[in-house]
Amino acid sequence: MSGTEKRAQPLVWLHEGVEGVRHGGILMATLVAFIALVTAAGTWSDTTTAIDIVTAEQAHLDAGGDVLVAQRGDSAPLSAAACARLAEIDGVLDSGAVTVGVLATGVAGLPEVQQSVVRITEGILGVLGDRQGVPDARAQGLVSVVVPTAVAEQRGLRPGSMVQLTGGDVEGAEIPTRPVRVDAIVDTAVLGEAFGSSVFLVQPPVGDASTCYVRVDAHARESLVGVVAAQLGDSATSMVQVSERLPTGAAAADPRAQWRERPTRWVGLAAGLIVAVTWSVVAWMRRGRAALAATIGVRYTEGVLIRWAEGATVVTVGCLWGVLLGGLAVTATGADPGLALGLVARTGALAWVVALGGVVLVGLGRPNTVAALKDR
């Protein structure tokens, strides 16, 4: 036998193993289907659990879970400028001041309407996730007004609508005598239910404010509480109280810890072990075939290559189908494709690697030829 033929021998035996699977009939088809179902179940379990964690955390943040609220304990005012400067601190995403008006104003054309007015700095729009429109209004010399969604629906307002407010003043600030333009309609739930029926006048960060809202990086929330208080002038005689907008609960826990500690994180390992055990049972059931091959001159190393090729083919095809089925099932739920497919691929790859490890170990064994032939 030439050197080329000798080097080609391993490929011959590997091909023999693949052909054994191709002609394996119902047994191999059933085994592939079983592996696909186990892998798909594992990918579904971990991906849906992870997506639930992400969804719950995002819902908590959308409701104000990353917002801090600062007020003086003695009800004394805060500095609006100091509140605005908090946005320059690392970990602070946006900050804005709010001053609640003590008077209700009228709305021209709607004599029966009494509308509460709240002064805010532009940073509040960042806290609410909407900064659009205000710079344009200022450039045109108009007073910018932001309206909560509920008020807009009740009054039939939309961005660009002109509104004439009538009445006195708001804690010393005169109500604009000229018509004002509605530049944004926003969901103000993050600030609290009390603001859902107000009209917001956007003003420069000067003078006093009653409350400062600060949106922070959720991971830095706890460390920034003291920083915010200090920057707003916390002192022994006039304490600044900084609290979380939402009560701390399960959804407010460290999302990175929840992600790392989710119970299904290693479900791919379990799926791979199930596949490996299943393949070992199948190999034991087919031990007579290995013994018969030995009697016709197939050496041990050649038999190992055949068994490895058989197992690797079954496991690879089954896991690929499982990842495909799991991915389709998860994306059908409307989950973010990027996140879902990444998790599915991770779980499927883990199951595949573990199952292949089982195939390698099982393939190294060869049953007693005489005993296996008797069983056959």
Side-chain angles (χ1 to χ4, degrees):
M1 180 180 292
S2 67
T4 301
E5 291 175 328
K6 287 182 179 180
R7 287 193 296 270
Q9 282 299 305
L11 296 178
V12 171
W13 299 116
L14 291 173
H15 177 73
E16 184 70 21
V18 174
E19 287 297 303
V21 173
R22 194 164 73 89
H23 298 289
I26 295 178
L27 175 63
M28 291 300 172
T30 302
L31 187 57
V32 168
F34 174 76
I35 294 173
L37 289 176
V38 170
T39 305
T43 58
W44 167 271
S45 175
D46 182 51
T47 304
T48 53
T49 299
I51 289 176
D52 286 344
I53 292 173
V54 172
T55 302
E57 175 65 15
Q58 189 58 53
H60 183 75
L61 296 180
D62 291 342
D66 57 352
V67 173
L68 301 177
V69 182
Q71 294 176 312
R72 288 200 183 276
D74 55 5
S75 299
L78 297 168
S79 167
C83 178
R85 286 196 297 269
L86 291 174
E88 301 172 4
I89 299 174
D90 288 341
V92 175
L93 306 180
D94 267 300
S95 62
V98 170
T99 301
V100 180
V102 297
L103 295 178
T105 66
V107 179
L110 298 172
E112 75 285 358
V113 172
Q114 288 293 307
Q115 191 68 63
S116 60
V117 176
V118 175
R119 286 185 292 154
I120 63 173
T121 60
E122 187 177 332
I124 285 295
L125 299 179
V127 174
L128 297 176
D130 189 341
R131 280 183 173 270
Q132 298 179 358
V134 174
D136 292 338
R138 289 180 178 171
Q140 297 177 32
L142 298 174
V143 176
S144 178
V145 173
V146 177
V147 179
T149 304
V151 174
E153 293 175 351
Q154 293 172 0
R155 311 288 187 256
L157 302 175
R158 63 182 184 275
S161 296
M162 302 301 294
V163 177
Q164 177 68 63
L165 300 177
T166 62
D169 58 18
V170 183
E171 293 194 358
E174 293 184 357
I175 295 297
T177 57
R178 293 184 299 169
V180 295
R181 190 179 75 180
V182 176
D183 288 305
I185 295 174
V186 297
D187 183 356
T188 58
V190 169
L191 302 181
E193 296 180 0
F195 295 102
S197 59
S198 302
V199 168
F200 296 87
L201 294 179
V202 183
Q203 297 184 340
V206 295
D208 296 332
S210 55
T211 308
C212 181
Y213 288 83
V214 187
R215 184 178 288 277
V216 300
D217 186 326
H219 306 315
R221 181 174 49 215
E222 295 183 2
S223 64
L224 285 173
V225 170
V227 175
V228 169
Q231 292 296 312
L232 292 177
D234 183 42
S235 66
T237 58
S238 183
M239 296 182 62
V240 175
Q241 297 178 344
V242 180
S243 60
E244 296 183 9
R245 169 66 185 85
L246 297 182
T248 301
D254 183 357
R256 291 176 296 183
Q258 288 186 319
W259 182 272
R260 291 193 305 267
E261 297 168 7
R262 67 185 188 277
T264 57
R265 183 183 182 189
W266 301 109
V267 71
L269 174 62
L273 289 174
I274 292 173
V275 172
V277 170
T278 302
W279 177 250
S280 68
V281 172
V282 171
W284 182 83
M285 294 172 58
R286 302 175 76 231
R287 64 192 183 281
R289 185 172 181 273
L292 182 61
T295 63
I296 60 176
V298 176
R299 293 176 295 182
Y300 168 73
T301 54
E302 296 165 348
V304 168
L305 291 176
I306 293 174
R307 292 189 289 275
W308 280 353
E310 288 178 336
T313 301
V314 170
V315 166
T316 300
V317 173
C319 285
L320 286 175
W321 272 106
V323 168
L324 177 61
L325 293 174
L328 291 175
V330 172
T331 53
T333 64
D336 175 59
L339 174 63
L341 295 180
L343 289 167
V344 167
R346 175 191 177 277
T347 302
L350 181 58
W352 178 68
V353 169
V354 174
L356 276 184
V359 166
V360 170
L361 293 177
V362 171
L364 292 175
R366 184 171 67 175
N368 180 278
T369 302
V370 176
L373 288 175
K374 287 183 178 179
D375 292 338
R376 180 181 174 89

